């Protein structure tokens, strides 16, 4: 017997028929004798609809400002998961399984006060553990928790993944199964490169890089939590027949295992190629080259919850002036420029320039730590295809390259082939 947390995304619960299929997956694990908790997202498209309602309400009322109270935003958008959790509990009950729905505040999942993008601080899993011990399946609404102001707080888009991993850690689950519309983690996006291969295992560190660099399989925060608490996490497809051979395998079910590096015997030099479109570049020209200038730039941006990446600094010959260039998601450009303009006097830049329509392509692999020439191989391959590089950042296990968005798919296919990832 094992303790398992199962998470089902929006496409997996998009209709009553699919919710019934999810119930069959849950029933399989219950009948195998396992203790089970389930985390669900809102039905596909529902969160977008709810967000649209929130954004349109000020316009309908004729308000001069498009802004709205983030606490009320959370109250509205969290309702999608509440519906799904109740429907799945009803489906399980109809199949003779003892199940009960739970909202984030009922557990409770305690979060910070960053409404709309809250982070989980603490989960008391004792009551869920007690109920599971009595044979009851806990069906938990993902994406939501309880803020310090005792109001519902949501965890940001994709937050149900984070809910699932956090609950798995809190109840000391043997594994956390993330069911989605893909059957695992691939070497790159199969829609761009048909030769992409599904990986059997990938390390927490590699998956963290993939998630943060554009892979949409898992939310970044969920991978961070899995790595910190060593939660063995499987990425699986909810669209496979729940009763197909191997689906009930406790140790090696179909899918990709995200695990500690020590579990991976044969480490590839390069594991995968990730990409992110809709990147934008902001350049601050002619800054005074003095201590504290970086803090003056990136402190206010962090306070505004703007994710900054790929920072490049160039200093003039005499050392008196510098240019600072960095990337942000295209959707955050105007917000970032507004923050920078508000702090212009403190920062001391001459002019802020920006360019949108860029893409970031990244080469990832824990094997890079012990192999030289990995970056040079990427640069040569891109040069042969006539792809110009605008910026480069590196770490122990990744190389990220900023290019024009029009070349993103060509770059992904080129790098995927250059490192032999298209070979089985």
């Amino acid at each position: 017997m094992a303790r398992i947390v199962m998470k089902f995304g929006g496409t997996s619960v998009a209709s009553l028929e699919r919710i019934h299929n999810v119930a069959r997956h849950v029933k399989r694990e219950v009948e195998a004798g396992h203790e089970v908790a389930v985390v669900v997202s809102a039905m596909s498209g529902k969160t977008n609809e709810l967000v649209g309602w929130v954004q349109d309400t000020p316009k309908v009322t004729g308000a001069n400002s498009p802004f709205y109270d983030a606490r009320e935003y959370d109250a509205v958008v969290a309702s999608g998961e509440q519906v799904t959790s109740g429907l799945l509990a009803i489906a399980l009950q109809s199949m003779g399984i003892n199940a009960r729905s739970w909202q984030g505040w009922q557990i409770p999942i305690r979060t910070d006060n960053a409404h709309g993008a809250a982070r989980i601080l603490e989960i008391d899993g004792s009551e869920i553990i007690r109920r599971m011990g009595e044979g009851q399946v806990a069906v938990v609404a993902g994406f939501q928790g309880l803020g310090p102001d005792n109001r519902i707080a949501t965890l940001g888009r994709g937050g149900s993944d984070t809910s699932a991993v956090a609950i798995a850690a809190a109840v000391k689950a043997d594994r956390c199964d993330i069911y989605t519309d893909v059957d695992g983690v691939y070497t790159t996006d199969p829609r761009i490169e048909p030769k992409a291969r599904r990986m059997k295992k990938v390390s927490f560190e590699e998956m963290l890089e993939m998630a943060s660099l554009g892979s949409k399989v898992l939310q970044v925060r969920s991978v961070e939590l899995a790595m910190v608490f060593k939660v063995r996490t499987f990425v699986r497809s909810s669209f496979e027949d729940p009763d197909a051979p191997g689906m009930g395998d406790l140790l090696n079910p179909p899918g990709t295992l995200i695990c500690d590096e020590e579990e991976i015997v044969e480490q590839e030099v390069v594991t995968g190629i990730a990409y992110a479109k809709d990147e934008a570049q902001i350049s601050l020209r002619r800054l005074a080259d003095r201590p504290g200038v970086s803090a003056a730039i990136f402190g206010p941006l962090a306070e505004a919850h703007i994710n900054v990446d790929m920072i490049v600094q160039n200093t003039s010959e005499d050392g008196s002036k510098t240019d600072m260039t960095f990337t942000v998601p295209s959707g955050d450009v105007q917000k970032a420029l507004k923050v920078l303009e508000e702090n212009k006097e403190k920062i001391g830049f001459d002019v802020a320039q920006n360019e949108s329509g860029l893409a970031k392509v990244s080469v990832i692999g824990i094997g890079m730590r012990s192999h030289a020439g990995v970056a040079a191989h990427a640069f040569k391959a891109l040069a042969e295809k006539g792809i110009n590089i605008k910026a480069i950042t590196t770490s122990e296990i990744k190389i990220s390259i900023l290019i024009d968005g029009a070349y993103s798919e060509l770059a992904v296919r080129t790098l995927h082939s250059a490192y032999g990832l298209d070979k089985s």
Side-chain angles (χ1 to χ4, degrees), residues 6 42 67 74 136 172 288 384 408:
M6 308 170 73
F67 295 104
D74 280 351
Q136 186 177 91
K172 295 179 171 56
E384 289 174 351
S408 61

Side-chain angles (χ1 to χ4, degrees), residues 216-423:
K216 300 293 190 280
V217 177
L218 290 174
Q219 191 202 42
V220 175
R221 180 61 179 150
S222 70
V223 185
E224 288 176 348
L225 286 174
M227 183 164 65
V228 170
F229 293 101
K230 298 290 189 288
V231 178
R232 300 176 83 249
T233 304
F234 278 91
V235 176
R236 308 179 61 178
S237 172
S238 63
F239 297 117
E240 292 191 34
D241 185 342
D243 301 318
M247 289 296 285
D249 188 328
L250 177 62
L251 298 178
N252 294 294
T256 299
L257 171 63
I258 304 166
C259 59
D260 195 270
E261 185 179 333
E262 294 175 358
E263 282 196 56
I264 302 175
V265 179
E266 296 183 13
Q267 296 177 354
E268 301 288 340
V269 176
V270 171
T271 301
I273 310 296
Y275 73 98
K277 293 184 177 180
D278 297 323
E279 293 286 305
Q281 183 174 267
I282 296 176
S283 297
L284 301 181
R285 303 298 185 190
R286 294 177 290 281
L287 288 153
D289 191 12
R290 55 178 172 76
V293 69
S294 295
I297 296 169
F298 300 114
L301 291 173
E303 290 172 7
H305 304 290
I306 296 171
N307 187 34
V308 173
D309 191 22
M310 300 191 77
I311 302 169
V312 178
Q313 183 175 1
N314 296 313
T315 305
S316 61
E317 284 187 15
D318 63 4
S320 63
K321 296 290 183 181
T322 184
D323 291 342
M324 188 77 75
T325 300
F326 54 91
T327 60
V328 299
S330 288
D332 285 342
V333 170
Q334 295 307 316
K335 184 178 178 183
L337 291 173
K338 182 174 182 289
V339 170
L340 293 169
E341 193 62 35
E342 289 171 351
N343 291 272
K344 184 174 183 178
E345 186 175 334
K346 182 180 178 182
I347 298 169
F349 63 90
D350 186 10
V351 64
Q353 300 171 335
N354 70 92
E355 181 183 4
S356 296
L358 306 178
K360 178 173 58 182
V361 181
S362 304
V363 179
I364 301 157
I366 50 179
M368 288 187 196
R369 290 174 178 152
S370 54
H371 286 77
V374 178
H377 194 52
F379 304 152
K380 181 182 178 183
L382 294 177
E384 289 174 351
K385 295 293 183 180
I387 300 173
N388 187 46
I389 297 172
K390 291 180 173 290
I392 303 163
T393 57
T394 64
S395 75
E396 267 194 316
I397 66 168
K398 74 105 193 292
I399 305 155
S400 288
I401 300 163
L402 190 69
I403 60 173
D404 284 324
Y407 296 101
S408 61
E409 295 189 6
L410 175 60
V412 167
R413 289 192 294 269
T414 298
L415 294 173
H416 193 267
S417 176
Y419 292 106
L421 296 176
D422 52 353
K423 298 178 176 63

Side-chain angles (χ1 to χ4, degrees), residues 183-222:
D183 61 353
V185 180
Y186 281 72
T187 48
T188 196
D189 189 338
R191 294 170 298 182
I192 290 178
E193 176 50 85
K195 294 179 181 178
R197 295 179 291 107
R198 187 180 76 187
M199 295 178 278
K200 285 185 65 68
K201 293 181 179 179
V202 61
S203 73
F204 290 126
E205 287 182 274
E206 290 169 322
M207 192 66 234
L208 183 59
E209 292 286 6
M210 289 181 186
S212 63
L213 295 169
S215 173
K216 300 293 190 280
V217 177
L218 290 174
Q219 191 202 42
V220 175
R221 180 61 179 150
S222 70

Side-chain angles (χ1 to χ4, degrees), residues 107-123:
I107 295 174
I109 298 173
R110 298 283 181 181
T111 74
D112 63 18
N113 208 26
H115 284 277
R119 292 173 71 89
I120 294 174
L121 301 177
E122 180 185 15
I123 297 179

